[in-house]
Amino acid sequence: MEARALRMRPGTWLVWALVVFFMVNVLGVIGSVVLDSFGRTWFNGWAPQGYTSSNYSQAWDEFDLGQVMTVTFQVTLLVVAISLALGVPASYALARRDFPGKRLVMLLFVLPILVPPIAYGIPLATMLYKVHLAGSFTGVVAANLVPSVPFVVYTMTPFIEQIDPRLEQAARMCGAPTRSVLGRIIAPLLLPGMLAAGILVLVRTFGMFELTFLTAGPTSQTLVVSLFSAATSAGIRSSQNIDAMAVIYTGSMLVLLVIALRFVNPTQLVARSRD
Amino acid sequence: MTDIADSPAAALDAQRFSELRLNGISRAYGAHTALHPLDLTIRGGEFIALLGPSGCGKTTALNSIAGLLPLTAGSIELDGRRIDTLPPEKRGFGMVFQNYALFPHLTVRRNVAFGLRMRKVPKAELERRVHAVLELVRLTEHAHKLPGQLSGGQQQRVAIARAIVLEPPLVLMDEPLSNLDAALRLDMRAEIRRIHQEFGLTTLYVTHDQEEALSLADRLVVLNAGHVAQVGTPAELYESPRSAYVAAFMGYRNILTLTATRVGTDVATVVGEGVKLVGTVAGPVTEDADVQVAIRPEDLKIAAEGAEAAFEAVAEVVEYHGREFQVDALTRSGKRVHLRTPERVAPGDQLALTVDPRRALVFPMEGEPT
Amino acid sequence: MTAATITQAPKLALRHRLAERGIDRTLLLILPGVIAIAALFCYPFIYGLGLSFQPAKGGVLGAYSAFFSDSFSEGTIWKTFSLAIPSALINVGLSVPISYRMRGDFRGKRLLLTLLVVPITLGTVLTAEGILEYFGPVGWFNLTLQKLGLVGAGHPVNLINDYWGVLFSLIISGFPFAFLLTHSYLSGIHPALEKAAATLGAGWWQRFRHVTFPLLLPGLLTTFCLTFVLGFSVFPSAIMVGDPDGKTHVISIEAYEQALQNFNYPQGCADAMIMTALMLLVIGLVMGIRALRFKGERIFYTGSTGGKG
């Protein structure tokens, strides 16, 4: 088998050609945005007519990016904190107990991951309007909790299942009360999993578009929503400023990705619940 | 049982080769050599066991012969024809994997029939052969089941059936019994032996269990860190191991490191740390050099009253084995020895031990093979 | 026996009986999470469903009949399917040969997987923005085509503000997702199975056809469902690089416009329900195929592929 792998067959060439073609185009897509953000004007040709970094400062002022970034990080970190607080205890109970109705609870937690955000976002936005929470910071956080809490549950439950329950039993046999068992034995073991789950929620919420778009108001937009609004509003906004904003978004996201990949592997960023 | 004229064995003589030659086959990963050049000639119908601890290269050798790993040096010839350049699907060898590797989505019948289907054997003959083999391994009433519905021993038998239904010139077995519990292992061992006797298929069998190897094989190849330590029949390896390593594998549980004070052509006197005994020279031993002395537990005896003792030891653990006791004892210098004796011994007893010179083998010290 | 002992015994039994069935205080830990999801997901959904049956006019099914009687809104169904199905087929279809070639470890594999994750993580908005530039009439893609002579100078291929831009967006963000899923399903198939097939005389195509593909197929069907859902719910790219009032007026845009631009909440919720129902239909169909039985036995093997069976 290995011998065959050393000789590249036409099938292998084709596969690698496809992958490279894909990568080249993705790089082109991202690269165009980056280059344009540094360009003076770019009407035709392979490169802009000149380079400047003024687009960034213009974008910062024009789109009030300081406020947007603050809101984005506030929303994201709050969603991470709350979803961990709600999700980790739930996943502990699900990992350790088998009870009638457990499948129903698991189904309840899987639906927000499987159902696309637009489908439940519209009724959710409708309801938030009725309770006057639409357009508010609270509404945005609440909406983003919907996919995040189940995500934490589905990441943490198998993680906790892997921790031997006999550790807790041994602690009890040594006389530890429940809060000590939870605080001194379980919590330290959970930290790596919580870190991974938290980072995954961070990355996903930062890039989550539909939910925030449907529930945010002018002062509670996250960066990606602002980007969309800017790109689609009619007006004489120069596209270079929009691209500068896009680069700021990409840069932040890549930084988060690099941090995330130190703790999780690439597949976890993407995998949703299967089967 | 099936008609003799119909039996696979009758068709086999046409399949059997006269010899399979391994010429210096070797496999290296960069700086690390998993298998040093191995030379071996396997005659048709033989049952050869590759024996050694994990990491000794036996599985590497097996996979290389199967074609699943390429050789980095050497060649394999089947009756003069080079086969090491062929991919595994062209070699026509049957293989039984350690974890069986049964196709989980196919029934037992289809698993066994798989190889025949790949060869486009006509349907009538295919069904006949599959049926015969399933009867041979006594799985006929399970033929329609999926592997997930079978027990470990049954899965094992399906794996064997799948390999032999093709009547291959060579059957490769990679520790097939290691995943079974002890009682089942003995049953399956008898099964493998029965199949080999009935069909006479040339078999190359990898294992780390010396008892298995001794009971099944016509010849054994003992491997140590990629090198061949010794090749021979079970009797040869049992009676005349050529090194302390092989001796340890063959049940010489006591390997004592001592110094040779007097070396003759046949016998040598060895002393060290309160031990003095005479043993048989079994390798190139020089005077005043460190040696390793191998003694079987059953050959280490308690000295009779008044007789001279080779050394003294204190019994530590005594296990009752019905007709005899298995004793772990510590010499004065802290060396652990094992012996079997019909005499009643209790922990803490002071024992005077002796051994027949013909039963103590003296080997030169073995350096670590590279 | 005193009266106290007799009354104590039944109380203890109840707690123990419950504990044996897995019900004890630990289950309280689930409550906050369940309440949150129930309040933020289930309730709005039910509320929206109820609202969809209370339109301003037309009776209980007014909103639904309005959707289907208007060719513009009804046309969204076809437009959405025409994006979702091809993109799912392309994404899953390409992921099979590519992940098959890439199974097993090799140097740089983790780097490759990381690079593939980037488009998904960056998200559809950024991808759409980039597509506008890159595939635009003066973007690098068209310039390359012109340079290669595939297209006449001055006649760039129109790929944006059109169906194609949205399709590209779905492939750029959908293919890595399908690939990673297919790849993990493939990795779950024990390598010894292919080795066994090889020793039994199966060449690479036979190994794929008789061993790998049958074991992979159930996972592929699941991957198709998930990729299809991604495509069916396409939203920002359909607006940014598509033709939101024309060829790519997909059902999510229709629902959004009704709810948050026309403030016709019952209509918007009805549209969202129709969208969900259509998705469930397709998923149900595919999963039904996956679970098909022939003469009592499952056609597709969906059990463990670890090797022992």
Side-chain angles (χ1 to χ4, degrees):
Chain A
M1 303 242 191
E2 268 181 60
R4 248 197 310 291
L6 295 170
R7 295 180 265 125
M8 294 267 261
R9 298 206 333 251
T12 317
W13 277 113
L14 187 65
V15 162
W16 280 108
L18 279 172
V19 174
V20 167
F21 179 73
F22 180 81
M23 292 293 194
V24 163
N25 278 293
V26 170
L27 271 173
V29 166
I30 301 178
S32 314
V33 174
V34 174
L35 205 57
D36 192 42
S37 71
F38 285 109
R40 236 178 260 283
T41 52
W42 190 1
F43 289 128
N44 50 28
W46 291 92
Q49 269 72 32
Y51 293 100
T52 171
S53 65
S54 62
N55 293 318
Y56 283 87
S57 40
Q58 282 176 19
W60 193 271
D61 297 326
E62 193 178 344
F63 303 118
D64 198 4
L65 286 186
Q67 190 256 356
V68 171
M69 292 292 273
T70 315
V71 167
T72 308
F73 279 108
Q74 282 175 338
V75 166
T76 321
L77 291 172
L78 211 56
V79 168
V80 170
I82 300 179
S83 56
L84 282 178
L86 293 177
V88 172
S91 43
Y92 177 79
L94 286 171
R96 288 283 181 257
R97 296 279 183 274
D98 226 346
F99 53 91
K102 180 173 178 175
R103 295 189 109 198
L104 206 61
V105 173
M106 298 296 281
L107 180 69
L108 182 72
F109 280 131
V110 89
L111 284 176
I113 304 182
L114 288 183
V115 177
I118 276 278
Y120 64 84
I122 291 191
L124 180 61
T126 309
M127 188 197 86
L128 287 178
Y129 269 104
K130 297 287 177 174
V131 299
H132 305 294
L133 274 181
S136 74
F137 185 84
T138 323
V140 174
V141 171
N144 275 290
L145 281 179
V146 178
S148 306
V149 171
F151 195 76
V152 169
V153 170
Y154 267 91
T155 311
M156 289 298 294
T157 307
F159 185 80
I160 298 179
E161 278 169 0
Q162 276 186 352
I163 301 177
D164 200 336
R166 288 174 292 189
L167 289 176
E168 299 160 50
Q169 291 165 358
R172 281 185 208 279
M173 292 293 287
C174 293
T178 310
R179 64 175 188 296
S180 284
V181 173
L182 288 178
R184 284 167 176 259
I185 309 289
I186 302 294
L189 288 173
L190 285 182
L191 277 177
M194 284 173 62
L195 190 63
I199 287 181
L200 291 172
V201 171
L202 185 72
V203 172
R204 287 172 63 119
T205 311
F206 190 83
M208 165 59 77
F209 174 73
E210 284 88 350
L211 283 178
T212 315
F213 177 72
L214 293 173
T215 55
T219 54
S220 49
Q221 290 188 339
T222 59
L223 184 57
V224 63
V225 176
S226 292
L227 178 59
F228 175 85
S229 303
T232 53
S233 343
I236 327 173
R237 285 211 166 99
S238 122
S239 87
Q240 268 106 356
N241 288 1
I242 298 176
D243 281 343
M245 186 154 105
V247 172
I248 294 176
Y249 166 79
T250 309
S252 318
M253 186 55 108
L254 286 177
V255 166
L256 286 178
L257 198 60
V258 164
I259 298 176
L261 287 172
R262 302 208 59 183
F263 301 100
V264 301
N265 69 50
T267 320
Q268 283 176 282
L269 278 168
V270 156
R272 300 186 179 185
S273 107
R274 314 161 354 197
D275 295 316
Chain B
M1 270 299 163
T2 49
D3 191 347
I4 296 288
D6 271 329
S7 83
L12 272 185
D13 292 316
Q15 277 271 17
R16 190 180 298 185
F17 57 87
S18 64
E19 71 175 23
L20 176 74
R21 267 210 146 99
L22 308 176
N23 299 320
I25 63 170
S26 153
R27 179 152 173 88
Y29 303 93
H32 168 67
T33 311
L35 182 67
H36 289 267
L38 164 68
D39 288 296
L40 186 67
T41 304
I42 302 175
R43 291 180 284 278
E46 266 196 303
F47 194 117
I48 304 250
L50 293 180
L51 177 64
S54 32
C56 71
K58 55 193 195 297
T59 306
T60 308
L62 198 76
N63 282 329
S64 306
I65 297 170
L68 298 171
L69 288 176
L71 296 174
T72 47
S75 66
I76 304 176
E77 285 169 21
L78 184 64
D79 283 338
R81 205 168 38 106
R82 262 194 88 161
I83 59 164
D84 53 289
T85 46
L86 294 174
E89 51 263 28
K90 297 255 176 42
R91 295 195 192 190
F93 295 158
M95 185 151 174
V96 181
F97 291 78
Q98 187 173 4
N99 70 341
Y100 322 137
L102 297 179
F103 306 126
H105 59 298
L106 298 178
T107 60
V108 165
R109 183 181 297 277
R110 287 183 147 221
N111 258 285
V112 173
F114 189 83
L116 296 172
R117 269 176 70 202
M118 292 300 116
R119 297 223 185 133
K120 309 229 190 335
V121 169
K123 190 158 172 215
E125 187 190 333
L126 185 148
E127 309 241 316
R128 184 179 54 80
R129 283 164 75 166
V130 168
H131 179 75
V133 154
L134 283 178
E135 267 202 15
L136 176 72
V137 294
R138 296 190 301 267
L139 283 176
T140 327
E141 58 278 8
H142 302 281
H144 60 283
K145 290 196 184 157
L146 290 179
Q149 300 166 296
L150 301 176
S151 70
Q154 289 167 331
Q155 289 175 354
Q156 179 55 281
R157 283 185 274 160
V158 177
I160 294 176
R162 187 175 67 176
I164 65 176
V165 74
L166 291 166
E167 295 148 26
L170 180 64
V171 177
L172 304 162
M173 296 200 181
D174 188 357
E175 301 201 53
L177 304 183
S178 59
N179 286 346
L180 301 173
D181 63 63
L184 204 46
R185 215 177 293 168
L186 286 175
D187 288 339
M188 288 306 304
R189 209 162 82 192
E191 192 86 357
I192 292 178
R193 174 170 216 69
R194 179 174 70 91
I195 294 175
H196 180 251
Q197 277 170 350
E198 177 142 342
F199 283 77
L201 290 172
T202 318
T203 308
L204 195 57
Y205 188 96
V206 161
T207 179
H208 61 270
D209 186 326
Q210 52 106 344
E211 213 187 286
E212 238 172 63
L214 286 176
S215 68
L216 288 172
D218 297 324
R219 273 197 299 159
L220 288 119
V221 178
V222 181
L223 291 165
N224 180 15
H227 291 273
V228 175
Q230 189 171 351
V231 180
T233 64
E236 282 167 16
L237 265 74
Y238 190 85
E239 305 283 328
S240 326
R242 253 193 258 135
S243 68
Y245 173 81
V246 178
F249 240 96
M250 290 294 126
Y252 289 74
R253 281 185 76 194
N254 300 302
I255 309 281
L256 305 169
T257 308
L258 304 164
T259 318
T261 51
R262 205 179 325 155
V263 178
T265 40
D266 293 329
V267 297
T269 312
V270 291
V271 298
E273 298 172 25
V275 177
K276 176 169 194 246
L277 57 92
V278 179
T280 310
V281 170
V285 173
T286 49
E287 261 183 36
D288 291 325
D290 281 340
V291 294
Q292 287 181 302
V293 182
I295 308 174
R296 303 196 93 94
E298 46 270 28
D299 294 329
L300 199 55
K301 302 208 189 302
I302 297 181
E305 285 292 322
E308 195 190 315
F311 56 96
E312 295 195 340
V314 177
E316 205 188 40
V317 179
V318 178
E319 284 177 13
Y320 175 71
H321 278 251
R323 300 175 83 192
E324 59 185 7
F325 294 86
Q326 190 160 296
V327 182
D328 277 12
L330 282 180
T331 68
R332 211 170 290 139
S333 57
K335 276 211 240 278
R336 185 174 294 273
V337 292
H338 313 270
L339 67 135
R340 299 177 101 107
T341 173
E343 287 185 37
R344 184 162 288 254
V345 173
D349 280 359
Q350 193 86 346
L351 304 170
L353 300 172
T354 179
V355 60
D356 184 331
R358 286 167 301 178
R359 292 312 213 188
L361 301 178
V362 182
F363 297 102
M365 279 298 289
E366 211 155 303
E368 281 304 313
T370 43
Chain C
M1 290 250 218
T2 64
T5 326
I6 297 174
T7 45
Q8 247 188 7
K11 251 212 276 195
L12 213 57
L14 180 64
R15 227 182 59 177
H16 279 178
R17 270 185 296 147
L18 284 179
E20 250 169 67
R21 305 198 65 198
I23 303 175
D24 62 1
R25 269 184 324 171
T26 323
L27 287 193
L28 290 176
L29 292 173
I30 300 188
L31 231 43
V34 168
I35 293 177
I37 298 299
L40 294 171
F41 178 79
C42 302
Y43 175 68
F45 213 84
I46 298 172
Y47 174 75
L49 186 64
L51 201 59
S52 71
F53 292 123
Q54 300 165 26
K57 55 183 188 288
V60 169
L61 293 177
Y64 292 93
S65 61
F67 179 86
F68 285 106
S69 53
D70 183 330
S71 68
F72 188 54
S73 51
E74 191 190 20
T76 60
I77 298 181
W78 163 252
K79 289 171 190 158
T80 320
F81 268 109
S82 71
L83 277 169
I85 301 267
S87 69
L89 288 174
I90 293 175
N91 287 333
V92 175
L94 283 180
S95 70
V96 173
I98 297 182
S99 52
Y100 187 70
R101 269 284 151 249
M102 292 208 194
R103 71 198 189 289
D105 232 348
F106 53 87
R107 251 176 43 195
K109 184 167 188 188
R110 195 185 148 112
L111 178 67
L112 190 71
L113 291 181
T114 311
L115 287 176
L116 279 176
V117 162
V118 168
I120 314 175
T121 336
L122 288 181
T124 40
V125 173
L126 179 70
T127 314
E129 175 74 8
I131 287 179
L132 276 178
E133 315 250 339
Y134 179 75
F135 284 105
V138 293
W140 287 337
F141 191 78
N142 264 308
L143 286 179
T144 316
L145 286 183
Q146 287 172 350
K147 205 154 200 122
L148 290 175
L150 293 167
V151 160
H155 296 283
V157 181
N158 189 40
L159 296 168
I160 61 170
N161 296 323
D162 196 14
Y163 169 87
W164 295 105
V166 185
L167 189 67
F168 291 161
S169 166
L170 284 178
I171 294 178
I172 291 181
S173 50
F175 169 73
F177 175 72
F179 173 82
L180 286 172
L181 274 183
T182 308
H183 176 264
S184 70
Y185 279 115
L186 214 51
S187 313
I189 300 176
H190 202 289
L193 291 176
E194 277 202 45
K195 291 187 187 168
T199 60
L200 291 166
W204 77 268
W205 169 247
Q206 286 174 313
R207 292 198 294 266
F208 179 77
R209 197 183 135 211
H210 293 286
V211 178
T212 314
F213 188 71
L215 292 175
L216 185 61
L217 191 58
L220 281 186
L221 291 173
T222 309
T223 307
F224 176 84
C225 280
L226 293 174
T227 317
F228 168 79
V229 165
L230 271 186
F232 199 77
S233 57
V234 62
F235 182 61
S237 29
I239 297 179
M240 286 173 75
V241 291
D243 180 19
D245 297 318
K247 280 186 245 150
T248 66
H249 183 73
V250 291
I251 193 166
S252 55
I253 295 181
E254 174 71 20
Y256 163 72
E257 283 176 355
Q258 291 294 346
L260 298 180
Q261 282 183 353
N262 300 349
F263 298 105
N264 185 351
Y265 296 118
Q267 187 67 53
C269 288
D271 296 348
M273 294 301 150
I274 295 174
M275 179 178 167
T276 311
L278 287 171
M279 271 190 308
L280 287 177
L281 196 67
V282 174
I283 294 177
L285 210 66
V286 175
M287 285 309 183
I289 294 175
R290 191 175 173 277
L292 267 183
R293 284 166 191 270
F294 179 68
K295 290 189 192 156
E297 293 295 324
R298 296 195 122 184
I299 297 185
F300 301 119
Y301 173 77
T302 51
S304 145
T305 58
K308 258 196 203 167

